[in-house]
Amino acid sequence: DLESESVGVKKLYGLEEDDTKVFGRQCLMARRLVERGVRFVQLYHGAGSKWDSHSGMEKNHARLCANVDQPIVGLIQDLKQRGLLDETLVIWGGEFGRTNYCQGKLTLENYGRDHHPHGFTMFMAGGGVKPGFSYGATDDFSYNVAENPVHVRDLHATVMHQLGIDHEKFTYRFQGLDFKLTGVEKSSVVKDILA
């Protein structure tokens, strides 16, 4: 029952706007779960949403960003105002980025970009990470990693570290390999992003 929330909170999450009300409700429910001690909350904005834009990218991403921008900012502001952001790690991202070259039809109205596993963007807020800076960069063509590469294994190790889990301790030997929560290859906590 979100009706008990104040008008200001509903406005903060965009519950009164058609573009933002669905994801806004999810973000507000996430805040309420965190308030009540739930330790892990996952929000999903995807089913049929076309974040995976192999075509119609500009149209799709403009609409999708309009759906999520205000509710995400509302969630972070609300957590901060309530004193919950320091102990809550907010992570936003997907499993890959987009290439810098076009895919599909190449027209002004309809173009897309392919999956790009080497250059993806995520953001983190609260939970002991430094605010207000970027880490890592791609080259001038946005294709290759040029500075401070972070493999997904390192991202996982960092998230687990912030949750108080040592990814090196959950290890078991199988077929001659040491399996960890971050895989069998070396992974490291990205200490440069920690507050």
Side-chain angles (χ1 to χ4, degrees), residues 151-174 177-189:
H151 193 279
V152 70
R153 291 185 305 270
D154 301 327
L155 173 66
H156 290 163
T158 305
V159 169
M160 284 186 266
H161 175 78
Q162 292 309 96
L163 297 175
I165 300 169
D166 182 349
H167 71 279
E168 297 286 347
K169 289 192 176 181
F170 290 99
T171 303
Y172 67 94
R173 191 126 180 103
F174 181 70
L177 297 172
D178 290 325
F179 283 85
K180 299 182 275 283
L181 292 172
T182 53
V184 296
E185 295 183 47
K186 176 146 179 59
S187 55
S188 303
V189 173

Side-chain angles (χ1 to χ4, degrees), residues 13 19 28 38-39 48 50-51 87 95 102-103 105 109 113-114 118 123 131 146 148 158 191:
Y13 285 90
D19 285 344
L28 179 52
V38 175
R39 296 184 60 177
K50 295 289 189 182
W51 281 109
E87 63 186 41
E95 70 275 26
C102 287
Q103 179 185 40
K105 294 180 180 181
E109 297 79 30
R113 295 183 352 204
D114 201 1
H118 305 295
F123 85 72
N148 297 326
T158 305
K191 294 185 179 176

Side-chain angles (χ1 to χ4, degrees), residues 32-44:
R32 291 177 67 153
L33 289 168
V34 168
E35 264 182 326
R36 286 158 178 80
V38 175
R39 296 184 60 177
F40 182 86
V41 179
Q42 179 178 348
L43 304 181
Y44 181 72

Side-chain angles (χ1 to χ4, degrees), residues 2-75:
L2 301 179
E3 291 308 311
S4 62
E5 297 288 347
S6 71
V7 172
V9 167
K10 291 176 187 174
K11 186 174 183 178
L12 181 66
Y13 285 90
L15 299 189
E16 298 164 348
E17 303 296 327
D18 287 340
D19 285 344
T20 53
K21 66 183 176 185
V22 172
F23 196 67
R25 286 181 62 84
Q26 290 184 50
C27 288
L28 179 52
M29 287 190 291
R31 187 268 290 164
R32 291 177 67 153
L33 289 168
V34 168
E35 264 182 326
R36 286 158 178 80
V38 175
R39 296 184 60 177
F40 182 86
V41 179
Q42 179 178 348
L43 304 181
Y44 181 72
H45 184 265
S49 68
K50 295 289 189 182
W51 281 109
D52 192 7
S53 294
H54 294 276
S55 63
M57 186 168 166
E58 186 173 351
K59 177 183 170 190
N60 290 328
H61 282 208
R63 177 181 53 81
L64 296 168
C65 288
N67 294 160
V68 301
D69 282 353
Q70 181 180 347
I72 291 167
V73 170
L75 173 62

